[in-house]
Amino acid sequence: AVVSTQSTGAELIKLYDVRSFDRGPFSTFKMPCERGTELSGLSFSPDTKNILVSTTNGVIRVVDAFNGQIIQTFTGILTDRSEKQGLNLGCCFSPDSNFVLAGS
């Protein structure tokens, strides 16, 4: 299947099959976010088993792409600048899907 992701900006991740986009999402995950935080980025791991989710408060989560279960949460990435302005982190999986790289 060809899959597209959508974040509603708040707490939902929706997965669509782009061949039948008009039917709506085939899966929706609720992603807990701290108050005032939004989801800012989504990307699949190269092995397609996980989704990397970044937020505007510097939290990154690895989520199971099949059931929405949070596998790992990375925190503590905030700086003085990000606490004042909201930090959009860039993040990705390594080619073997074993590591997460993040930066701002």
Side-chain angles (χ1 to χ4, degrees):
V2 180
V3 178
S4 172
T5 60
Q6 174 193 16
S7 164
T8 62
E11 296 183 333
L12 294 178
I13 296 172
K14 297 179 180 184
L15 301 180
Y16 294 85
D17 184 328
V18 295
R19 297 169 299 188
S20 57
F21 188 83
D22 57 331
R23 293 186 198 161
F26 65 84
S27 187
T28 301
F29 308 135
K30 186 169 173 110
M31 186 62 38
C33 286
E34 293 75 16
R35 187 177 190 151
T37 298
E38 295 182 356
L39 304 180
S40 61
L42 301 169
S43 62
F44 278 92
S45 61
D47 64 9
T48 68
K49 294 179 181 178
N50 300 306
I51 301 172
L52 194 58
V53 180
S54 58
T55 66
T56 57
N57 73 342
V59 174
I60 298 171
R61 291 189 173 96
V62 178
V63 178
D64 185 290
F66 297 99
N67 62 23
Q69 180 92 24
I70 297 172
I71 297 170
Q72 180 73 45
T73 300
F74 301 99
T75 60
I77 307 170
L78 295 176
T79 65
D80 289 340
R81 188 179 123 226
S82 64
E83 289 172 355
K84 294 175 186 167
Q85 299 175 354
L87 177 65
N88 283 333
L89 290 174
C91 54
C92 65
F93 284 99
S94 62
D96 62 4
S97 301
N98 290 325
F99 299 96
V100 171
L101 287 73
S104 63

